[in-house]
Amino acid sequence: MKVKFLGAAGTVTGSCHLVETAAARFAIDCGMHQGNETIERRNLDTTVYDPRNINFFILTHAHIDHSGLLPRMVKTGFSGKIYCTPPTRDLLGIMLEDSAHIQEMEAEWASRKSRRHGGRPVEALYSRADALAATALLTPVPYGQPFSPAPGITAVYHDAGHILGSAFIELTLDGDGTRTRMLFSGDLGRPDQLLVNDPSKPVEADYLFLEGTYGDRDHKNVADSREELAEAIRRSYERGGKVIIPAFAVERTQELLFCLHLLLKEGRIPADMPVFVDSPLAIKATEIFKRNPAYLDDETRAYFDRGEDPLSLPNLRFTLSTDQSREINELPGSAIVIAASGMCNAGRIKHHLRHNLWRPEASVVFVGFQAMGTPGRKIVDGAKKIRILGEEVAVNARIFTIGGFSSHAGQSQILTWLSHFKVNHPQVFLVHGEQKALDTLAGLIRQRFGVKVRIPQYLEEYTLTPGVEPVVSVDEEKAHPHIDWEVLFAEMDGRLSRMRGRTKTLAERPVEEQAEMRQRLLALDRELLELLSEM
């Protein structure tokens, strides 16, 4: 049996673990890679997946970093079943189409830019037709119901407590008189969060593929986190500014609405402050949450049973159109604006940041993980300026980072979940985390449980045989393309030298042209200074 890590290996996006047995070749999840340009370029190369020869996918949940490449797989030859829970099917029905719309819009924008320079049109990663073809392959299976996607393979979904319909996957592989048990955690939720149940206890396994997003830290106390959110809201209300909250459309937006509902009932935030959910996807997702009460926790169902909607507020306004979205930034005074994407790398949130990030009276509240290379991560890490929609914007707003709203288990919660294994602890493969978090968590697991822990890297393939040390192989050139820094800098030095050699010619040009060239060179100089500060 082989397992190849096509994403979420040393990073937090692009989750996809390709499993090859004598019976089938299949994958757990198929997420989109998000972050800097190098990471996102991985979305284009489907040769490492070989979609035509994947028999089926088993999804843990609907988030795009676990599902967003499915239309690309269909576009490039995949035609098998995609297993998921019923709420995941409902959510993907809107999420994949929304993602496809974004891909088409970005391709259209890039094509216009390319044509202006005499280049070729840019093809979208996938289209809405590809998204619809992918959703047609979704095959829902409830929690706790065993299913057999191929001979000798049995799978069971268990509640992961992360978002609506999220699951960890129990796999049993039978063949040649042997039985191998595998457990894929997907994204493991934190206990006691609003809306969803706590994660189910793990079942026994020989191999565990465990997420470690927050492996190096615990979350803030929930009560403290809610008070910090209330503080951010009160601060901007008193100053007449807006509270901008980048939030994923699924789960985080709904949890925020629930939290605001509670804060308003307790009189801890202004009653007359408008709240905008500026995301058509989040609006549709909220309705799906309401249509799936069986997958919500007892506390949430109790609200609905007594006729109280915890996902509603008196001053709540849903904005569907782009015109309505623009009007928010023309509205005088304070308001709470919840918009996607959660990492600020796409969607309407970019426009709200451009209009508000430079305002001292504004507050920007981060309530989720910010991956390396994303605009959100740069802001959280203390950037003084950030480029948004081609414009440099100063970061003058008050920045709040509130970890208590995370739907991921923190370090202690992961270790507690692991403690429920009753017999021999499994061999552990840590995925879905940045290297520092994974290294920290690996050390704690080894120390506390005395088990083998491995941290696979991008495109590493492990050959697994029970009782035998895994054999590891990797295509180094694809996984870690070589960058010849000396050649790159030499080429840049050569161009700069040639420009110096043309100074006399430049000085003979009209003054207007010289001024324009100077401005362009100063812009390049600022870019170089920014790069230098990050090195």
Side-chain angles (χ1 to χ4, degrees):
M1 174 178 60
K2 295 179 180 180
V3 181
K4 192 171 187 176
F5 297 88
L6 302 182
T11 63
V12 295
T13 67
S15 288
C16 187
H17 314 312
L18 186 68
V19 183
E20 191 170 345
T21 72
R25 184 175 182 270
F26 62 96
I28 307 298
D29 287 338
C30 190
M32 187 174 288
H33 300 274
Q34 299 164 308
N36 59 35
E37 184 181 348
T38 301
I39 289 176
E40 292 189 356
R41 203 177 295 128
R42 295 173 182 175
N43 294 319
L44 295 169
D45 185 9
T46 58
T47 59
V48 296
Y49 297 83
D50 189 11
R52 292 182 186 279
N53 291 311
I54 294 178
N55 300 112
F56 56 88
F57 284 96
I58 304 179
L59 301 186
T60 60
H61 64 288
H63 275 154
I64 290 298
D65 63 325
H66 290 256
S67 67
L69 272 190
L70 287 170
R72 180 74 175 178
M73 295 298 107
V74 172
K75 180 177 182 176
T76 52
F78 172 75
S79 59
K81 289 184 177 181
I82 303 170
Y83 294 94
C84 60
T85 65
T88 297
R89 174 198 56 190
D90 293 348
L91 290 169
L92 285 178
I94 59 172
M95 293 179 72
L96 293 182
E97 187 173 359
D98 179 78
S99 177
H101 174 68
I102 292 171
Q103 303 308 317
E104 290 177 330
M105 292 296 290
E106 288 184 349
E108 182 181 335
W109 176 83
S111 293
R112 286 201 301 267
K113 184 177 180 181
S114 175
R115 283 194 289 264
R116 284 197 296 269
H117 294 86
R120 296 180 177 180
V122 176
E123 184 182 1
L125 185 65
Y126 51 79
S127 67
R128 277 176 280 191
D130 299 321
L132 290 172
T135 56
L137 301 176
L138 296 175
T139 305
V141 183
Y143 293 142
Q145 179 178 303
F147 61 100
S148 181
I153 300 176
T154 303
V156 183
Y157 279 128
H158 301 274
D159 196 340
H162 174 61
I163 67 168
L164 184 74
S166 64
F168 62 84
I169 300 165
E170 173 191 359
L171 274 186
T172 305
L173 310 177
D174 292 306
D176 298 327
T178 63
R179 169 167 288 186
T180 304
R181 298 168 301 177
M182 307 173 78
L183 206 62
F184 294 85
S185 75
D187 285 354
L188 197 63
R190 61 175 172 83
D192 301 320
Q193 66 174 315
L194 297 173
L195 292 169
V196 295
N197 292 303
D198 290 354
S200 299
K201 292 180 180 178
V203 295
E204 298 306 314
D206 300 301
Y207 301 103
L208 170 63
F209 301 83
L210 176 66
E211 77 129 321
T213 310
Y214 288 94
D216 58 344
R217 60 197 185 277
D218 281 322
H219 300 308
K220 293 178 182 176
N221 176 278
V222 173
D224 291 344
S225 295
R226 290 182 191 171
E227 177 52 35
E228 194 172 355
L229 175 61
E231 177 195 340
I233 292 169
R234 293 192 297 263
R235 174 192 177 275
S236 284
Y237 180 81
E238 291 164 0
R239 291 165 172 76
K242 292 186 172 61
V243 179
I244 308 300
I245 309 179
F248 296 109
V250 175
E251 193 280 330
R252 195 57 45 80
T253 294
Q254 292 74 37
E255 185 176 9
L256 280 168
L257 289 177
F258 200 154
C259 185
L260 293 172
H261 181 93
L262 295 175
L263 291 174
L264 189 60
K265 280 182 68 174
E266 295 161 1
R268 294 160 65 187
I269 58 174
D272 62 342
M273 193 171 184
V275 179
F276 293 92
V277 173
D278 189 27
S279 164
L281 180 61
I283 295 166
K284 294 174 185 176
T286 302
E287 290 305 312
I288 290 174
F289 270 70
K290 295 178 182 180
R291 292 202 306 265
N292 283 274
Y295 286 83
L296 301 176
D297 63 15
D298 293 341
E299 179 189 4
T300 307
R301 289 201 303 272
Y303 275 90
F304 285 114
D305 289 345
R306 60 176 178 260
E308 182 178 351
D309 185 350
L311 303 180
S312 183
L313 299 157
N315 286 331
L316 180 61
R317 306 177 194 179
F318 292 115
T319 52
L320 284 167
S321 71
T322 52
D323 286 341
Q324 290 173 322
S325 178
R326 290 191 194 99
E327 288 170 4
I328 296 172
N329 291 308
E330 297 169 4
L331 185 75
S334 59
I336 300 168
V337 183
I338 304 170
S341 73
M343 296 186 194
C344 309
N345 56 342
R348 295 179 179 180
I349 191 64
K350 292 161 72 172
H351 296 273
H352 296 302
L353 288 173
R354 185 176 67 170
H355 281 275
N356 292 279
L357 195 57
W358 55 273
R359 301 177 186 270
E361 68 273 20
S363 298
V364 180
V365 182
F366 289 96
V367 292
F369 189 86
Q370 303 300 307
M372 191 75 71
T374 60
R377 180 61 168 266
K378 292 175 183 177
I379 296 171
V380 167
D381 284 347
K384 301 301 182 185
K385 292 183 179 180
I386 186 167
R387 186 173 292 278
I388 303 173
L389 298 170
E391 180 181 351
E392 274 204 350
V393 180
V395 182
N396 294 328
R398 172 82 177 272
I399 308 301
F400 293 80
T401 305
I402 310 179
F405 288 104
S406 176
S407 57
H408 292 264
Q411 182 191 86
S412 297
Q413 294 159 343
I414 295 171
L415 293 172
T416 298
W417 189 78
L418 276 171
S419 71
H420 292 297
F421 282 97
K422 291 183 173 59
V423 194
N424 295 324
H425 279 76
Q427 294 188 47
V428 177
F429 292 83
L430 289 181
V431 296
H432 202 286
E434 292 176 358
Q435 200 64 41
K436 176 178 174 289
L438 299 181
D439 287 338
T440 302
L441 184 59
L444 291 171
I445 293 173
R446 292 184 188 111
Q447 180 183 1
R448 181 165 173 179
F449 301 109
V451 299
K452 292 183 178 179
V453 183
R454 296 175 177 84
I455 304 175
Q457 298 301 307
Y458 180 57
L459 293 188
E460 282 188 347
E461 183 177 76
Y462 283 69
T463 300
L464 304 179
T465 305
V468 178
E469 192 71 14
V471 177
V472 187
S473 61
V474 64
D475 184 335
E476 282 291 344
E477 186 54 39
K478 275 201 168 185
H480 308 106
H482 176 66
I483 300 173
D484 194 325
W485 293 105
E486 292 299 327
V487 169
L488 179 61
F489 288 133
E491 289 176 349
M492 292 175 67
D493 287 341
R495 292 189 186 99
L496 189 59
S497 178
R498 289 199 298 275
M499 290 179 74
R500 284 198 196 97
R502 297 176 187 178
T503 302
K504 184 178 178 181
T505 304
L506 184 60
E508 295 170 353
R509 290 193 177 194
V511 173
E512 293 83 359
E513 285 188 26
Q514 290 187 50
E516 183 184 351
M517 290 290 286
R518 179 178 181 274
Q519 288 301 112
R520 290 171 67 183
L521 283 170
L522 286 173
L524 282 172
D525 187 54
R526 285 195 296 271
E527 284 283 332
L528 287 171
L529 281 172
E530 188 176 332
L531 280 170
L532 194 60
S533 70
E534 295 175 8
M535 293 172 69

